[in-house]
């Protein structure tokens, strides 16, 4: 939490639309990810986390998949969640919003009894996640046309 923004689970009316708006801006418009790849059936059951400025403007978002939804991304281990769709508006980068969102997602994972969190990081973001305690494993692979690596952090 900061004086200029806060991070919370996206449960209030309109929160999910704010999450989707940030994702559209960052992934679809900025990075060119096809919209049909950006939004999926997991959005309905994921835990969405939202960073908002003090005046209510959304700054960033991320989501946590758990249970059966996460199994395909975590090697089938039901005690591991899957962090994904982490996005911060360009104007809010460098303010600690991304790190605060990751910690918010980890808190949500702990609340659900998970012991670790996996993610698929774009390779240019490996250092960001490493600074937060994530360790890369496995080979590089393409996702939405961009190189990624799997990473995990034990909670």
């Amino acid at each position: 939490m900061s004086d200029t923004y806060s991070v919370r689970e996206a449960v209030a009316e309109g929160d999910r639309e704010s999450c989707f708006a940030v994702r559209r801006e960052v992934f679809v418009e900025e990075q060119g990810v096809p919209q049909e790849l950006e939004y999926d059936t997991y959005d309905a059951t994921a835990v969405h986390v939202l960073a908002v400025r003090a005046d209510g403007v959304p700054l960033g978002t991320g989501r946590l998949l758990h249970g059966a939804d996460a199994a395909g991304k975590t090697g089938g281990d039901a005690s591991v969640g899957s962090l994904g769709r982490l996005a911060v508006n360009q104007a809010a980068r460098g303010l600690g919003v991304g790190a605060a969102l990751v910690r918010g997602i980890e808190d949500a994972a702990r609340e659900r009894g998970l012991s670790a969190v996996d993610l698929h990081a774009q390779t240019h973001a490996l250092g960001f996640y490493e600074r937060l305690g994530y360790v890369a494993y496995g080979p590089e692979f393409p996702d939405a046309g961009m190189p990624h690596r799997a990473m995990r952090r034990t909670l």
Side-chain angles (χ1 to χ4, degrees):
M1 180 107 133
S2 159
D3 292 339
T4 57
Y5 65 88
S6 61
V7 173
R8 65 174 189 260
E9 281 193 36
V11 293
E13 188 173 335
D15 279 355
R16 187 166 294 200
E17 292 310 313
S18 293
C19 292
F20 290 171
V22 171
R23 286 169 49 186
R24 184 172 41 259
E25 178 184 330
V26 173
F27 295 125
V28 177
E29 295 169 13
E30 186 180 324
Q31 296 184 357
V33 174
Q35 191 159 309
E36 61 273 12
L37 292 180
E38 177 51 32
Y39 306 101
D40 59 27
T41 58
Y42 297 121
D43 282 325
T45 54
V47 177
H48 296 270
V49 176
L50 178 65
V52 293
R53 210 166 57 191
D55 63 3
V57 172
L59 301 176
T61 188
R63 74 179 187 186
L64 172 70
L65 303 181
H66 55 94
D69 288 349
K73 298 177 181 288
T74 63
D77 187 340
S79 70
V80 180
S82 177
L83 182 159
R85 302 305 202 266
L86 189 74
V88 176
N89 290 345
Q90 198 165 22
R93 293 179 194 154
L95 302 176
V97 174
L101 284 163
V102 170
R103 296 304 185 221
I105 291 167
E106 291 170 350
D107 289 345
R110 282 186 199 90
E111 289 169 11
R112 287 155 179 84
L114 301 177
S115 63
V117 173
D118 268 18
L119 58 86
H120 293 165
Q122 293 179 14
T123 54
H124 70 82
L126 288 171
F128 166 77
Y129 290 111
E130 287 169 344
R131 287 188 295 278
L132 294 173
Y134 287 79
V135 177
Y137 66 90
E140 187 176 289
F141 60 92
D143 189 3
M146 292 173 272
H148 284 68
R149 290 277 313 273
M151 302 186 85
R152 177 173 288 185
R153 179 171 187 257
T154 301
L155 299 176

